[in-house]
Amino acid sequence: MIGYAGSFNVLDYGASADGITDDSQALLNAWNDACSSSAGSPEVIIPQNMIFFLSPLTLKGPCNSENIYFVISGKLVSPMSPSIWTGQDPSQWLAFRNVSGLIVDGSGAIDGQGQGWWDQSCRYHPEMEGCTKLAPTALKFIFCSQCSISNIYFANSAQTHVLIERCNGFKVDNVMIQSPGNSPNTDGIHIQSSQYVAITNSKISSGDDCISIGDLSSNIQIYNIQCGPGHGISIGSLGKGGNYVQVENIHVNNAFFYGTTNGARIKTWQVGRGYVRDVTFENLEFNSVKNPIIIDQNYCDVRGACKEMVTGVQISNVGYKNIFGTSSTDIAINLNCSMSVPCTDITMQLIQLTPATSGRQVTAYCRNAYGQEYGIEPGPCLSQV
């Protein structure tokens, strides 16, 4: 064991920390020693004022101790060239897998250096031969339980910045995520097949959803978030392959959206089945947002071109409360629900949305959406049962 008992500094394992030499093996060796250590709460140390260049890397558990600390005080940087991933999983750069009690913390940064990927993205360059649909996530947590990440700065991931997948018990607090508003598919945080996740006190600027929630996710708390630019806080899209969707107990409270494409969004594919239920959006503020409140139960590849189907994901018991701000489009509230599987038990109260541009008016559009409302402007909108 290197260093004092319980502390595993990557410099002691031969890391160059020059931002050019590959430090992946040094980090892997430090992690493996920390993970197998019998120390009470071992720490992997990424020291400050240094830059560590890392190739794609997975840090695996389970570990011996109940908690393991991963302290990022310096800067971790990704390879700039997509060619580095030849023959490897293009969706992954850094990942933790099958770790319990992991605590990622520090004043450092994780830089995905995604420009090379963005320049060959199929979203923006569909005619390009060999364009890429899949690009690396900066940091993945897979099969992790009772873990947390806090105080880290993320920048310019090639695709999603943070992925929480098949995790149980996960906290994200006081992180900052920044990528350009036109960077393709750069979600801030994506939650997939996970339970008991809390995201709090964070600021996210991205080219896609600030926070997105995928299928098989439940008991998600999102509190005190600044979002913009980006595509808002989204549940979905869900049910693309006709699968049975199960999403419930999602609570978004105290969020501010600045210049985003969407605010509070739920989107499901017509071919999907299953349910989204027990969702609350409350204490939200919008500043010049295109779609402040939106449900799209008829999501499809080409907007408006898909024929209405008899299938659909059941959306029920969704509440919107104490929401105000400005819409940059004419439709401030847009609940586009399925004729076959309508939205039910929708509650809207104390909502005040006005035009971002003076002299214009905003409206509310509700289709096949049933519930109760009071104190709504624009409105009324919902159909009564």
Side-chain angles (χ1 to χ4, degrees), residues 14-53:
S16 299
D18 59 9
I20 301 167
T21 310
D22 192 341
D23 289 327
S24 302
Q25 194 60 50
L27 176 54
L28 184 60
N29 291 344
W31 171 263
N32 287 338
D33 277 4
C35 188
S36 59
S37 168
S38 57
S41 296
E43 294 183 329
V44 175
I45 305 294
I46 312 291
Q48 64 184 1
N49 302 323
M50 295 180 179
I51 301 174
F52 299 85
F53 174 87

Side-chain angles (χ1 to χ4, degrees), residues 186-206:
T186 54
D187 294 67
I189 301 169
H190 181 65
I191 302 165
Q192 184 76 31
S193 304
S194 296
Q195 292 75 45
Y196 298 99
V197 177
I199 301 172
T200 57
N201 308 313
S202 295
K203 186 176 182 180
I204 303 171
S205 308
S206 71

Side-chain angles (χ1 to χ4, degrees), residues 276-290:
V276 175
R277 65 192 183 199
D278 304 334
V279 178
T280 58
F281 294 100
E282 59 183 329
N283 302 315
L284 308 185
E285 181 180 351
F286 302 116
N287 186 324
S288 196
V289 171
K290 285 186 179 176

